[in-house]
Amino acid sequence: MSITAPAFSYMHIVEADVTAAAIWALYEDVSTWPQWDAQAESVTRDGPFAAGATGTMKFAGQEPMSYRLTKVDPLCEFVDETPAGDLTVRVSHLLEPLADGTLRITYAAEVDGPREQARQAGSMITADFPATMAALIALARGRTA
């Protein structure tokens, strides 16, 4: 994440009765992303799920965008960074197993760039975080049931 305060930031946290391994398997397999992110039409990745890997994301109504994984801590967190014109979008996907056996899942987004443009883009990018995370959890449950 950035050192200076981003022009836009947002965080959504849920707790669910799924394992980090079940969620991580879906993160690693980018072919599943359109199954749990309704806006994603396709996602590619060149190379292993590791920091420095790059790929493209195609969202509904948009041209494909290149992204880079800036952090990958297996079963814990990954951060993707996507340049979009004057903006840079970073999204952290954090998994924290809790003492009661549930999993806390945190999505944190930051958008750097011209403030008003970052706020508009950030609001659009994060609007579906709750639905995306619910679909991710449902898919993980279905695969481990």
Side-chain angles (χ1 to χ4, degrees):
M1 298 303 212
S2 62
I3 295 171
T4 60
F8 174 89
S9 63
Y10 173 86
M11 183 181 297
H12 187 73
I13 301 170
V14 297
E15 292 180 9
D17 58 345
V18 295
T19 65
I23 297 292
W24 196 260
L26 295 171
Y27 288 161
E28 279 189 316
D29 183 358
V30 295
S31 72
T32 70
W33 289 21
Q35 295 174 42
W36 49 268
D37 185 337
Q39 296 300 313
E41 292 180 358
S42 65
V43 180
T44 67
R45 185 184 67 241
D46 303 318
F49 195 61
T54 59
T56 60
M57 293 186 271
K58 169 80 172 83
F59 292 99
Q62 298 181 14
E63 292 298 314
M65 296 182 291
S66 297
Y67 73 91
R68 181 173 58 96
L69 298 177
T70 59
K71 177 180 182 180
V72 178
D73 184 3
L75 299 175
C76 288
E77 182 183 23
F78 83 92
V79 178
D80 59 74
E81 182 176 279
T82 305
D86 293 337
L87 303 176
T88 300
V89 179
R90 285 179 208 84
V91 180
S92 165
H93 310 75
L94 179 64
L95 306 177
E96 299 172 277
L98 302 176
D100 66 1
T102 61
L103 183 69
R104 179 179 297 136
I105 305 168
T106 303
Y107 277 23
E110 292 184 349
V111 183
D112 289 318
R115 189 161 299 280
E116 190 55 37
Q117 188 180 355
R119 286 180 180 162
Q120 289 176 358
S123 294
M124 290 183 351
I125 291 163
T126 60
D128 68 345
F129 275 16
T132 295
M133 293 169 77
L136 174 68
I137 291 163
L139 186 58
R141 283 182 183 142
R143 289 181 162 214
T144 57

